[in-house]
Amino acid sequence: MKKIAIVVLLSLSTGLYAQIQLGKLTIDKIMADPKWMGSSPSNLQWSADGSILYFEWNPENAAADSTYFITKENRTPQKLASSRKNHILYYRNLVFNLARSQALYQKDGDIFLLDTKTGKTRQITQTIVSEMNPVFSFNEKRIVFQLQQDLYAWDPETGQLQQLISVQKTAPAESKQRSGSQEEWLKKDQFEWMEVIRERKEKKEATEAFTKSLPKPQQVRQLYTGDKMMRNLQISSDGRYISYTLFKPDQGGKRTIVPNYVTETGFTEDIPARTKVGSPSGTSELFVYDREKDSLHTVSLDSIPGIEDLPDYLKDYPSRLSAAKKIKRLLSIGRLSWSPSGSNAIVEIYSQDNKDRWIMQLIPSEGKLKLVDRQRDEAWIGGPGIGSFGASAGWINEYEYWFQSEVTGYSHLYKYTIQTGKKTALTQGSYEVQSVQKSKDGKYFFLTTNEVHPGEKHFYRLSVTGGKPERITQLTGANQVVISPDEKQLAILYSYSNKPWELYLQDNNPKAKAQQITNRGQSELFASYSWRDPELVQVPAADGAMVPARFYRPANPDPSKPAVIFVHGAGYLQNAHKWWSSYFREYMFHNMLADQGYYVLDMDYRGSAGYGRDWRTAIYRHMGGKDLTDHIDGAKWLAKEHRVDATRIGIYGGSYGGFITLMGLFTSPGTFAAGAALRPVTDWAHYNHGYTSNILNTPAEDSIAYRRSSPIYFAAGLQDHLLICHGMVDVNVHFQDVVRLNQRLIELGKENWQVALYPMEDHGFVDPSSWADEYKRIFNLFESILKRRTN
């Protein structure tokens, strides 16, 4: 490792800044715009025929990325001329027919039809309004798309356009006239004395009578929404059924406001932001329109098994439990998928408390539901491929449906057979299936899993009948695969712990070797330092669990034996792995700390991703519980196994990491001599609904969980040194969180704490000067406290 030169800079706000340096790299440089590092390829996209692979790249360090491409014949990346881009960027969202000979896409609000063999496109619509969601329907004889909320079908053979439905808010009101009213008398008088009016009326009635006698064109069915919003409008593959949901938002939720202080006008401006956890949710209804019978079914959800089952946490509130026993829980309607021929459909339904997910078969001719699978979790439904926003599921054929479930404790792949009602597990084991794609011939699944190691991602092929998955990729680390349309080649974004992402190409064969395509994306400056490959270790927790962690061991430990523990954000995120971290700035900072003599520990604490259901939900109803004690146990491990001075351990992290930092300093004084809480949540009752209600329920329903999980209630415990850094226009964790905690610390008369404000920064900083200022403050805190002299 290269030696560090230390430069001392004077800061009026924080005292002395210690400017650390690794070779030619300073903290200002590593916190600058990431372009200095060089460019990794991204946004891989095959051409429709699979002959060309496009990707974004910037090896020249230009102002913006450019589109590059390689071909089967020439694997040297070439920059794509701007004149050739045209429709290529829109190919990322192609909708194929079953034979994959044609594909649909949307560009600039218009619909296009692509011939995948010739590459020729045919424009279907050309309007000033936007058409969207094109699909093949009517047994692939027509193309159906949505215009505003209406559905239209276009016939490629004849060019005929047919409107299928018209969506209106309300039915037209009938004009009613009171008998004997003034209006009725005036109308009668006009016809009696005005000859022209009488003649015109007689002519109009004759014309209407003739028109009514003519053959009628097909009538467009009117669907009425009332005061609700139409969502998820879909047509079955055979064109017979149209399904949709009507959503009625609850207007009772008050939205927050984030003040923006530094503006072009010189006046403070308000940024409209989110609601807070516990804000009322809306209600959804499911409908199926049968075009053949011109009948509309309202799909009843009342008979869903377990709709009245109450969550276990209500046992802590006996007075409310008896009153809630007969209440049907509110439901949300998730994805609906029509089978290839359109005779069957599957819909996912979630309880709004997110304790249940039902996969239901929809019998469209009757508008009725039949249970396929129910997953119940007393914490919350989640995991890879599971959830109302990230569900991974689909049809294998007309009568077999695949989905993912965490019922065994890990997200695995299952199939359901319509005729027999049988569920079959296709994968099993103590690992996660993290993504699924069905092969075009329907015989295989292509999977990405972490079966080899929780910190690796590999690509597999699995028969739809089950068996042992066949591993295709071999490179140690993460392999993010985009398979070619003919499924013969894999485009792979690959990285390792100390090697950023590069593009590889490999035949879709377990014996094939991956060929590196890009290898000059990283700058000479980045390559001038020997970046560490962090050790992956297992830290024993007090309850017997082994906590995965990255460990940075200094080659020359400082005599004071200091250590720093980093807490990753998001809660449900993984960072103790073998690929290039999304926390690349922190990774480089940890290299700097290690060169400065610090031991650095980065833990995948309880609640982190990649380790199954029990690890994910271990923080249910108590954030700052096991997720915090894992870090306390990490501090003990550093002292015991590496002779770190237990009085010289610091902790820092952003967002959820900032929250854990606060909880550590407030509830376990003396464990961490110094902590830097970056953009921290200080009170979970002030965070958003979607994330927080899963883990802590809602403040009105489960006040116990919020009381024991929010740092602001424990601020009296602060004894050690605290730095808080927060952007003032943070629309995720609001600046209000820090203001409230600031006031609380003042009232408590606490010392040894400081707040650094960033007036123009949101949750994720953008300006390099803000990043550099923040990390100089963090480093200065650790240098001044963890290496302080005791004599």
Side-chain angles (χ1 to χ4, degrees), residues 50 67 108 150 194 229 309 349 447 469 494 510 535 570 593 597 604 632 655 658 719:
T67 302
D108 299 331
D150 300 334
M194 298 294 177
M229 301 165 54
D309 290 357
I349 299 171
L447 314 176
Y494 166 77
E535 299 174 50
L593 287 175
D604 273 345
I632 294 172
S655 195
Q719 297 178 13

Side-chain angles (χ1 to χ4, degrees), residues 343-407:
S343 60
N344 295 301
I346 297 288
V347 61
E348 292 189 6
I349 299 171
Y350 294 82
S351 59
Q352 288 192 9
D353 61 16
N354 211 13
K355 310 295 184 195
D356 277 286
R357 178 199 68 177
W358 296 271
I359 298 178
M360 308 292 291
Q361 179 187 350
L362 172 64
I363 303 170
S365 60
E366 302 175 15
K368 294 182 179 180
L369 297 173
K370 177 183 177 183
L371 182 65
V372 170
D373 179 78
R374 178 190 179 189
Q375 183 181 332
R376 170 81 175 183
D377 196 315
E378 285 298 337
W380 73 94
I381 297 293
I386 303 165
S388 55
F389 297 104
S392 178
W395 291 92
I396 300 172
N397 51 49
E398 185 60 29
Y399 299 104
E400 291 183 310
Y401 185 81
W402 65 268
F403 60 93
Q404 288 181 251
S405 173
E406 260 191 342
V407 67

Side-chain angles (χ1 to χ4, degrees), residues 538-547 603 606 615 626 629-630 633-634:
Q538 298 281 317
V539 177
D543 64 357
M546 300 300 291
V547 185
M603 307 180 75
R606 243 67 72 91
W615 203 264
K626 289 185 177 181
T629 58
D630 285 345
D633 291 333

Side-chain angles (χ1 to χ4, degrees), residues 240-362:
R240 176 175 173 177
Y241 299 104
I242 294 173
S243 60
Y244 61 94
T245 59
L246 292 183
F247 174 73
K248 184 176 182 179
D250 193 297
Q251 304 298 326
K254 183 177 181 179
R255 304 197 73 84
T256 54
I257 293 172
V258 175
N260 186 6
Y261 293 96
V262 184
T263 65
E264 293 181 2
T265 64
F267 290 89
T268 300
E269 299 173 0
D270 290 338
I271 301 173
R274 55 167 171 79
T275 58
K276 297 188 179 186
V277 61
S279 179
S281 301
T283 56
S284 298
E285 299 173 276
L286 177 61
F287 297 86
V288 178
Y289 170 53
D290 186 339
R291 296 183 61 253
E292 185 177 292
K293 296 183 177 180
D294 191 29
S295 59
L296 181 65
H297 296 290
T298 302
V299 181
S300 174
L301 308 181
D302 291 344
S303 60
I304 290 178
I307 191 174
E308 295 181 355
D309 290 357
L310 299 176
D312 285 354
Y313 78 83
L314 283 179
K315 294 175 183 177
D316 287 347
Y317 306 92
S319 61
R320 289 171 38 214
L321 183 60
S322 58
K325 282 185 176 178
K326 295 184 179 180
I327 298 176
K328 287 183 170 65
R329 288 179 291 160
L330 295 177
L331 305 177
S332 296
I333 299 169
R335 57 173 287 151
L336 184 146
S337 178
W338 289 97
S339 63
S341 74
S343 60
N344 295 301
I346 297 288
V347 61
E348 292 189 6
I349 299 171
Y350 294 82
S351 59
Q352 288 192 9
D353 61 16
N354 211 13
K355 310 295 184 195
D356 277 286
R357 178 199 68 177
W358 296 271
I359 298 178
M360 308 292 291
Q361 179 187 350
L362 172 64

Side-chain angles (χ1 to χ4, degrees), residues 604-632:
D604 273 345
Y605 52 89
R606 243 67 72 91
S608 297
Y611 307 97
R613 181 265 171 198
D614 290 349
W615 203 264
R616 174 178 66 82
T617 62
I619 58 173
Y620 177 57
R621 298 190 70 207
H622 192 185
M623 291 194 274
K626 289 185 177 181
D627 45 0
L628 174 59
T629 58
D630 285 345
H631 290 95
I632 294 172

Side-chain angles (χ1 to χ4, degrees), residues 707-719:
R707 178 62 178 79
R708 65 188 173 200
S709 298
S710 296
I712 198 166
Y713 297 114
F714 303 96
L718 178 63
Q719 297 178 13

